[in-house]
Amino acid sequence: MILKNKIVAIKKFIINISVLLITCLFICLLLIPFEIILRLKQKDNERIMITSPPVIICSEEGRKIARGVKGEGTITVGNNPHIFYFETDTKGRRITPQPNMDNKELNCLFFGCSFTFGTGVNNNQTLPYYFGQLHPEIEVYNYGIPGASPQEIYLQSTQSEIFADISPQKPTLVIYTFISDHLRRLKGTLNLIFRAPKWVGCLPELEFINNRIINKGKFEETHPYLFSFANILNKSFAVKQLINYTQFDYPSPFINENYDFLYILLNETKNQLSTYFPDLDFVIFIYPEHCSTPATCPNLNYFMNLLNEKKDLRVISCEDKEMMGNYFRLKSSGKHIILDGHPSPECYQLFAEWISKELKSKKIIP
């Protein structure tokens, strides 16, 4: 009787496994036509960026800018190439041409991602460049890293040698450009991992424990199975389209807890930089698109209220109606972005004027 029951159980197990395998095979057969169609369709819209020589290096402390390189970048969407030129100095900063002037009065350090580095534009078309043209009395430095995360910006601040050639006696201004994707990069969310596992895998995972920031290692090391799975799924156009269409994401990037952690990282970045530059102001520039289209950055008001309550970090948001109107007009003309969606030179020039106006009104600069 016992033997008979075991045989029945084995048969049921084999049947269940067979049904599961047949179901998986059936789903795969259904997906294959969609995969083929999407590959043909998306080929005309796929974004590819190549820099020669490579401008990004993956290190134990996250991604860094290659030092002392000069080269060309090509962004291709479909059959449309967009070419830009870049050059970095020996400290890993993008070179920013500036007006010659002796005895400059202030330092200005720009931090952020590709929106600061200036992906898709030349050295003389970036946000730091246009700001420097408006203020020849200020020495400008571009510490932007394409695809950077808030945790990489914090880790930059701990590397004293990249600031060694900047005068600590002068008043120093730090400008960080915030975009909503920084919250996804902060937590290494599934949406981001499945879209670009190699890039996200190099981002460092930080935690705030006992009033200390702990570097746990790169995301691909702290979540190896997830990244192995993501690397497989990433090869499927159907899966990527499904994730993009549904905007499926986990953990949710726009919860209060993540904004709190972002604040902690930025405040700790300020504190670290203050050890090199005692007279320092830290300013956050909120990317205006998040004000014109709130759905691009849910729960932003929580972060704004937090900044206004704490008062440790200054903020430039979208309250200036004149500048916001200028942005709307530029956006309606379609000239606010380049081929792949990064800001255009005209947009960076507007942002530089916007930041300059706000800094003067807050009496941060004369």
Side-chain angles (χ1 to χ4, degrees), residues 48-302:
I48 301 172
M49 188 181 86
I50 299 173
T51 59
S52 180
V55 73
I56 296 293
I57 297 170
C58 182
S59 73
E60 290 303 315
E61 296 177 332
R63 294 153 59 262
K64 297 181 178 179
I65 295 290
R67 302 189 178 200
V69 298
K70 183 177 182 179
E72 176 182 293
T74 303
I75 298 172
T76 305
V77 177
N79 296 317
N80 302 311
H82 174 87
I83 297 172
F84 64 99
Y85 302 92
F86 63 89
E87 186 174 359
T88 66
D89 65 16
T90 57
K91 299 291 185 182
R93 301 172 296 218
R94 186 168 188 179
I95 287 178
T96 302
Q98 298 174 65
N100 292 324
M101 180 177 170
D102 295 331
N103 301 319
K104 296 207 173 191
E105 300 169 6
L106 291 91
N107 306 315
C108 185
L109 285 55
F110 282 83
F111 285 88
C113 60
S114 53
F115 285 49
T116 297
F117 178 84
T119 294
V121 301
N122 299 322
N123 289 343
N124 62 350
Q125 296 175 316
T126 66
L127 171 58
Y129 167 78
Y130 287 118
F131 185 81
Q133 296 302 300
L134 291 173
H135 296 282
E137 77 282 5
I138 298 178
E139 193 74 46
V140 175
Y141 302 89
N142 185 344
Y143 284 93
I145 304 173
S149 61
Q151 54 268 39
E152 286 170 316
I153 293 165
Y154 165 74
L155 291 174
Q156 272 183 298
S157 74
T158 66
Q159 302 163 35
S160 59
E161 64 93 11
I162 67 174
F163 309 106
D165 60 345
I166 304 175
S167 172
Q169 280 76 42
K170 295 178 182 178
T172 300
L173 173 62
V174 173
I175 299 174
Y176 158 68
T177 300
F178 167 77
I179 65 170
S180 62
D181 221 34
H182 290 180
L183 290 166
R184 291 189 174 94
R185 300 170 196 178
L186 184 66
K187 287 296 180 181
T189 63
L190 288 179
N191 184 290
L192 208 59
I193 292 171
F194 285 128
R195 281 192 284 137
K198 290 184 179 179
W199 159 43
V200 183
C202 192
L203 297 179
E205 182 174 9
L206 305 187
E207 283 191 0
F208 191 63
I209 302 174
N210 297 327
N211 293 320
R212 290 182 58 205
I213 293 177
I214 306 298
N215 187 350
K216 298 177 64 178
K218 292 183 286 189
F219 277 122
E220 65 183 3
E221 296 169 346
T222 56
H223 305 282
Y225 299 112
L226 176 61
F227 274 88
S228 297
F229 184 54
N231 272 310
I232 295 171
L233 289 185
N234 178 257
K235 294 176 173 58
S236 168
F237 277 69
V239 171
K240 285 194 285 188
Q241 282 297 106
L242 179 64
I243 291 172
N244 286 334
Y245 178 76
T246 61
Q247 285 298 299
F248 170 75
D249 216 353
Y250 180 84
S252 176
F254 304 109
I255 59 176
N256 294 355
E257 179 184 344
N258 291 346
Y259 280 111
D260 290 337
F261 188 39
L262 173 62
Y263 168 80
I264 289 171
L265 277 181
L266 294 179
N267 198 44
E268 289 299 314
T269 299
K270 176 192 175 183
N271 293 338
Q272 185 64 47
L273 291 171
S274 295
T275 63
Y276 317 132
F277 310 106
D279 185 2
L280 182 137
D281 271 302
F282 195 107
V283 177
I284 301 171
F285 176 59
I286 306 294
Y287 183 49
E289 182 64 25
H290 300 326
C291 300
S292 68
T293 313
T296 61
C297 190
N299 205 23
L300 179 60
N301 282 337
Y302 175 83

